[in-house]
Amino acid sequence: AQTVTQSQPEMSVQEAETVTLSCTYDTSESDYYLFWYKQPPSRQMILVIRQEAYKQQNATENRFSVNFQKAAKSFSLKISDSQLGDAAMYFCAYRPNAGNMLTFGGGTRLMVKP
Amino acid sequence: DTAVSQTPKYLVTQMGNDKSIKCEQNLGHDTMYWYKQDSKKFLKIMFSYNNKELIINETVPNRFSPKSPDKAHLNLHINSLELGDSAVYFCASSQGLAGVYGEQFFGPGTRLTVL
C-alpha cells in the first residue's frame, strides 16, 4: 500500500521569505503522479502543483516549485516570496498512473508572519 | 459557476439519525469521489464512482451508502449516525479513471457534526 508522510505538522515563514515543506512517500510503482494541495480556512481544496514521476524536470508554477527526488521518494514544495494568502494547510498527495485513488499525507499547517 | 458543489455546507444532527449529503459537478467528468477529513485534518478516500458504477470502496461502515443517479451527481447517505462520523466530507470529480494528470476537483466540503 502507498503511504505519504509529511513530517512537519506546522511551519512558519516571514512574509517575502522562502519556505520548504517536506513530503516523502512509499510505493512500489514506477509510474505515478504527485500533487500538492492547499486548503485555506475556507476549507476549499486547491491544487497548487503536480509532478509526473517519469519527468526528471521539477515542476514550477509561479512562486511554487517542487524538488522531486524519485530515488529518495521525496517531493518537497518550495514557496518563494511568501504572501499572507499562502497561509493554509498544505497536503501532499500521491496517485498511481493506473488508478484514480489519491493518497494524502497528514498535512502541514503553514503560518505566514507579516 | 461552481464546478463541484455540495449541499449542505453545514449539517448538525443527533446520534442515530439518517442524513444525506448531495454533490453535483458541472465539469462533464465521469468519475466522482467522496473523501472524509477527520478532526486531525487527515483526508482519506471513501468511495469512487465511474460512470455511475462503484470503483473504489475503502473500509467504510456499510451505514454509508453512496448513490449516483447520473454521472453528474454522487450523493452520500449515512444511516444511524455516530459521534465518530463527525468530520468534513469532500466530494471531488475527475475525467476518467486515470489519465495524464487525473486532476481531481474538490467541492467546498460539508462539515457534519453529530451530537
Side-chain angles (χ1 to χ4, degrees):
Chain A
Q2 293 89 9
T3 57
V4 180
T5 302
Q6 293 177 247
S7 58
Q8 306 151 317
E10 278 191 4
M11 290 285 285
S12 181
V13 63
Q14 205 70 34
E15 197 176 4
E17 297 292 310
T18 296
V19 65
T20 299
L21 308 184
S22 301
C23 173
T24 58
Y25 57 94
D26 187 23
T27 183
S28 57
E29 305 281 338
S30 60
D31 201 7
Y32 50 86
Y33 300 89
L34 296 163
F35 306 86
W36 278 98
Y37 280 87
K38 172 184 177 182
Q39 186 180 38
S42 66
R43 286 205 314 256
Q44 183 70 51
M45 293 289 288
I46 303 163
L47 179 65
V48 174
I49 199 166
R50 65 172 72 88
Q51 174 82 41
E52 300 100 304
Y54 65 85
K55 286 190 177 179
Q56 291 191 344
Q57 186 173 7
N58 288 324
T60 299
E61 288 286 343
N62 301 314
R63 298 182 295 108
F64 298 87
S65 61
V66 299
N67 183 3
F68 173 48
Q69 302 288 329
K70 191 172 184 180
K73 296 181 181 171
S74 168
F75 182 60
S76 60
L77 174 69
K78 185 170 88 171
I79 306 174
S80 304
D81 185 25
S82 296
Q83 300 174 2
L84 294 178
D86 295 334
M89 285 289 291
Y90 285 83
F91 292 94
C92 178
Y94 164 98
R95 184 182 70 80
N97 182 42
N100 64 342
M101 184 169 137
L102 273 176
T103 300
F104 285 90
T108 296
R109 181 178 301 281
L110 177 66
M111 294 173 284
V112 181
K113 297 179 181 176
Chain B
D1 285 343
T2 305
V4 183
S5 59
Q6 294 179 228
T7 52
K9 289 193 176 168
Y10 298 92
L11 184 53
V12 181
T13 188
Q14 299 286 333
M15 261 194 332
N17 284 350
D18 303 338
K19 290 293 177 186
S20 292
I21 306 171
K22 295 185 176 182
C23 177
E24 177 181 3
Q25 54 93 6
N26 62 7
L27 297 166
H29 289 166
D30 60 5
T31 306
M32 297 183 73
Y33 313 79
W34 278 109
Y35 288 86
K36 178 181 179 181
Q37 186 174 40
D38 63 23
S39 59
K40 296 183 178 178
K41 301 291 187 183
F42 187 66
L43 261 164
K44 187 172 166 59
I45 191 161
M46 300 172 69
F47 302 101
S48 169
Y49 267 74
N50 174 256
N51 283 316
K52 302 195 299 174
E53 288 192 18
L54 181 65
I55 301 298
I56 293 172
N57 181 359
E58 288 296 292
T59 308
V60 176
N62 52 19
R63 298 182 294 103
F64 290 79
S65 52
K67 285 188 171 50
S68 182
D70 55 57
K71 287 196 299 184
H73 295 84
L74 180 62
N75 304 322
L76 183 65
H77 189 74
I78 315 171
N79 289 327
S80 302
L81 278 155
E82 300 177 357
L83 292 176
D85 298 333
S86 294
V88 179
Y89 292 84
F90 285 96
C91 178
S93 73
S94 69
Q95 181 53 38
L97 289 174
V100 178
Y101 295 118
E103 179 178 348
Q104 295 183 17
F105 293 79
F106 284 79
T110 295
R111 180 179 293 281
L112 171 65
T113 303
V114 182
L115 303 174

